[in-house]
Amino acid sequence: MYRLALNMLFGDRAKLAMLLCGLAFSALLMAQQSSVFFGIMSWTYTPMVNIRAQVWVSDPMVEQVNDAKPLRDTDLGRVRSVDGVAWAAPLHTSFVQARMEDGNFKLITLVGIDADTFAGAPAVLTQGRIEDLRLPDTVIVDEWGAALMGRMTVGPDGKPRSIPLQVGDTFEINDIQARIVGICKVKRAFTGGPFVYTTYDRAKGYTLGARRTLSFMLVEPQKGVTPAELCDRIERDTGLKAWTADTVIWSWGERSLARNTFWWFWTNTGIPFSFGTAVLLGLFVGIAISGQTFYSFVLENLKYFAAIKAMGAGMGVIARMLFVQAFTAGLIGFGLGAGMAQGIGRVMIEKGMPPFVMYPQILWATFALVLGISFVSALIGIIKVSRVDAASVFRG
Amino acid sequence: MSHLAHTVALRASGVDMFFGTQENQVVALRQADFEARRGELIMLVGPSGCGKTTLLSVIAGTLTPQAGSVEVFGQRLDGLGQEELTAFRRKHLGFVFQSFNLIPTLTVMENVMVTLLIQGRPYDEAHARTLAIIDKVGLKGREESRPNALSGGQQQRVAIARALVHEPPLLICDEPTSALDKDTGGHIMQLVRDLSRSPERCVVVVTHDHRIFRFADRIAEMEDGRISRVVDDPKLLDTTHL
């Protein structure tokens, strides 16, 4: 019977196309918007990705990685003395204005790393060497920042164009020269400012007047000590807050700074609401279009279902037929929608904007919601068919 | 048990059927008695609104009468629940509808197979039996055609094949020739009669079409919700009011 049910569905190509359009559009909207949402949210903990360390130590009041509450430099010594610490390095992060050669200002994320160990340095340099940061007034700028902060000039066609900053170019931070000795590749941040790396001591100089400049401490556990264990010891011995660098936001690790940052933005900003609205819209559009199309498919076939009922098919058989039809359409619609979302995502990833992260969980959730839409559609049809009197087939 | 008891295929006794509430009640059947014999093709005739279709629905178990009893091939229908009635129809009844009711998105083969698949028969068995009946109704070679590619007569042949593929004892035909011309209607009725000529089968045909009366073994005339008379010879009927 199921084969015939599918043939009934595929036989009406116009209705099937409409049904698949509704389901695919719904799946696309839900998967694509969710992926952009998680992409944007993944930007919120970008420093955790760009500045690599197993354990981060902060002021106890810190809630998320973008909200550094400066520590005393002496806290570094206290952390280094905790049993299980292999090494601990200072880290400065702050948002400051950079003044470009043409007089323009740009907001940057200044990152000061330990000059001895380069702990927290960017992993990939496309130009220059990390060691050159030890030279006076030097910085390393990320690729996107180099393009954003580029020098404006006039092209051969007479139109203004920006030339990305290169090694050797300079700009100023608080009237102090910053000379570029390297270009690095890092992940972009939610706050929008390019990452500008320098040494911790020089960062102190760039942030004139700041009494405390130690934002975080990057800590490496000794062999045999897990990051979570070390966090416990640091908190117990120093009263500071210690975090693991785990960036899997789905995990339940209370100690993950990335996860806490993610949920801080979730609860303290309107981002989930706006994207949630779009996802809900996708769901409602799916239910409306697919439900209505499937209902009209059932209405068109109502007299045939009545005939089948008269011929002795129970409602169980007919309900299973309708479920098979609805779920098959849902499966194909999901495939089309998710495929389109992947395609759009690929383009977005190539362009870098907007951020796009399609977790497997997003696909599973979208799949479940599309099946939910199919279930509702089938249910509406089943209710309609169950109310049809089998005797109606004798009334012409 | 008498010889007559063996020959009775279906019997409806004292059947009352009315629709609507007390103030707007419409009486469709009033103490209707009807009997059909095994191996017989009996026609139910009468003017519109006399209760033919209602009686057919009661016999088919798609309507439950308010009073009276219905017995089909020894099975009492009164007292059966909906599920039992559905199972009864599935096993014992074949239907030929006025507007064919063939599913337009399915092929001839699939439309006929529906009956067997509803019964839970395996696909291969259903396929083989369907091929045989399609051959019998003269549609060999059209198995993969869609209903809209067939003439009215061919569509009704498909409907007959669908009604008989599971070899039901009782075949119910509701105005089987109303959408067909005289010749095609005659061919269809000949086919119904040929295929149903068996001591284990009974055919009940509801019709207005006096051109096909000659195919009946007996004709039961209805008036005001009851059988007014039963004749063996169509010439005895006054067809002016039908």
Side-chain angles (χ1 to χ4, degrees), chain A residues 3 7 304 309-310 312 394, chain B residues 53 89-90 95 102 110 174:
Chain A
R3 195 188 295 196
N7 288 350
Y304 308 118
K309 267 175 100 169
F394 294 122
Chain B
T53 300
R89 286 201 300 272
R90 190 161 54 227
F95 294 92
L102 299 176
E110 291 164 340
D174 182 27

Side-chain angles (χ1 to χ4, degrees), chain A residues 259-387:
Chain A
R259 190 181 159 278
N260 274 269
T261 303
F262 177 92
W263 288 109
W264 187 91
F265 275 84
W266 181 286
T267 50
N268 291 288
T269 67
I271 303 169
F273 179 78
S274 56
F275 278 90
T277 307
V279 171
L280 272 182
L281 198 68
L283 185 63
F284 291 142
V285 165
I287 290 174
I289 297 179
S290 308
Q292 198 178 10
T293 312
F294 196 73
Y295 184 67
S296 115
F297 168 79
V298 169
L299 277 188
E300 242 172 51
N301 287 292
L302 204 55
K303 65 175 181 172
Y304 308 118
F305 283 120
I308 291 172
K309 267 175 100 169
M311 285 157 56
M315 260 322 286
V317 171
I318 292 173
R320 285 197 292 275
M321 283 175 75
L322 289 170
F323 274 128
V324 164
Q325 290 170 339
F327 284 140
T328 303
L331 208 64
I332 299 170
F334 165 75
L336 292 173
M340 282 190 281
Q342 286 269 17
I344 291 171
R346 204 171 279 271
V347 174
M348 284 178 174
I349 288 167
E350 276 170 18
K351 287 179 71 179
M353 277 289 277
F356 190 91
V357 177
M358 187 179 270
Y359 291 110
Q361 287 90 335
I362 291 175
L363 286 177
W364 282 114
T366 306
F367 182 60
L369 288 171
V370 170
L371 287 191
I373 293 170
S374 305
F375 179 80
V376 171
S377 305
L379 210 58
I380 294 167
I382 289 164
I383 291 167
K384 185 69 189 172
V385 175
S386 71
R387 288 178 181 164

Side-chain angles (χ1 to χ4, degrees), chain A residues 1 3-4 7-8 11-12 303-304 307-314 389-391 393-394 396, chain B residues 53 57 62 86 89-90 95 97-98 101-106 110 114-115 117-118 123 162 174:
Chain A
M1 241 6 235
R3 195 188 295 196
L4 298 193
N7 288 350
M8 279 177 81
D12 191 345
K303 65 175 181 172
Y304 308 118
I308 291 172
K309 267 175 100 169
M311 285 157 56
D389 187 358
V393 288
F394 294 122
Chain B
T53 300
S57 302
T62 56
T86 302
R89 286 201 300 272
R90 190 161 54 227
F95 294 92
F97 304 106
Q98 182 178 351
N101 278 340
L102 299 176
I103 301 169
T105 48
L106 299 184
E110 291 164 340
V114 165
T115 312
L117 295 177
I118 285 173
Y123 191 87
R162 182 176 66 180
D174 182 27

Side-chain angles (χ1 to χ4, degrees), chain B residues 132-140 157-158 160-161 164 191 195:
Chain B
I133 192 91
I134 285 175
D135 190 16
K136 263 189 184 175
V137 299
L139 286 175
K140 193 171 182 183
R157 282 169 189 266
V158 178
I160 291 166
L164 291 176
L191 181 67
L195 291 176

